[in-house]
Amino acid sequence: MKSSKPAITGSTHELPLERLSPRGFERLILAYLLREGYTKAQHYGSGGPERGRDITALRNGDLWYVQCKRVKTCGAKVFLTEIEKIVALGETDPAFKPKGILFAVSCDASALARDTTTQRCAELGMD
């Protein structure tokens, strides 16, 4: 008896991230974080000024902030601006200081942007 299922192909397709709304992109990242084992995730991005946190979540009991950028290009300045928002938030109350920051971007980030961002986070004691 012949199977009615279609043949499985070996091709892969990139997600059309540019077709998602900013909120849709944030919700996609939220779902991904939960799949990857983050817990107690909260989506701040759609509720007004998020103070550098589109999403917060716990990983192994540690607080992480996620900043989502659905853009065509972004450089170190974009990342550093978001880091400084998070630093200001942590200065108001140390409980708001995260263990680390994740940047979810829909474009390629240059090596310089990555290195500069990593260095600034290290200076602040964050991953």
Side-chain angles (χ1 to χ4, degrees), residues 92-105:
T92 63
D93 183 343
F96 285 117
K97 183 179 179 185
K99 163 104 170 99
I101 306 167
L102 295 172
F103 287 96
V105 296

Side-chain angles (χ1 to χ4, degrees), residues 51 53 62-65 86-100 124-126:
R51 299 163 66 183
R53 315 162 292 174
D62 294 320
L63 178 63
W64 283 79
Y65 287 169
I86 292 167
V87 168
L89 182 61
E91 288 173 350
T92 63
D93 183 343
F96 285 117
K97 183 179 179 185
K99 163 104 170 99
L124 297 166
M126 293 186 289

Side-chain angles (χ1 to χ4, degrees), residues 14-92:
E14 289 187 24
L15 291 173
L17 299 176
E18 69 283 352
R19 292 173 52 193
L20 293 173
S21 67
R23 183 175 186 208
F25 181 68
E26 290 172 359
R27 293 175 73 179
L28 175 68
I29 299 304
L30 176 64
Y32 176 77
L33 292 170
L34 294 172
R35 182 178 177 271
E36 290 299 309
Y38 287 81
T39 60
K40 297 188 178 182
Q42 295 186 54
H43 182 214
Y44 284 84
S46 63
E50 81 299 309
R51 299 163 66 183
R53 315 162 292 174
D54 288 325
I55 300 169
T56 64
L58 297 180
R59 176 75 176 210
N60 299 322
D62 294 320
L63 178 63
W64 283 79
Y65 287 169
V66 182
Q67 182 55 234
C68 302
K69 297 290 181 194
R70 191 194 57 81
V71 294
K72 291 183 181 183
T73 62
C74 59
K77 184 175 180 178
V78 171
F79 299 137
L80 295 175
T81 298
E82 297 302 331
I83 291 169
E84 295 313 315
K85 288 182 194 176
I86 292 167
V87 168
L89 182 61
E91 288 173 350
T92 63

Side-chain angles (χ1 to χ4, degrees), residues 3-20:
S3 173
S4 62
K5 293 181 183 180
I8 297 174
T9 65
S11 64
T12 60
H13 305 280
E14 289 187 24
L15 291 173
L17 299 176
E18 69 283 352
R19 292 173 52 193
L20 293 173

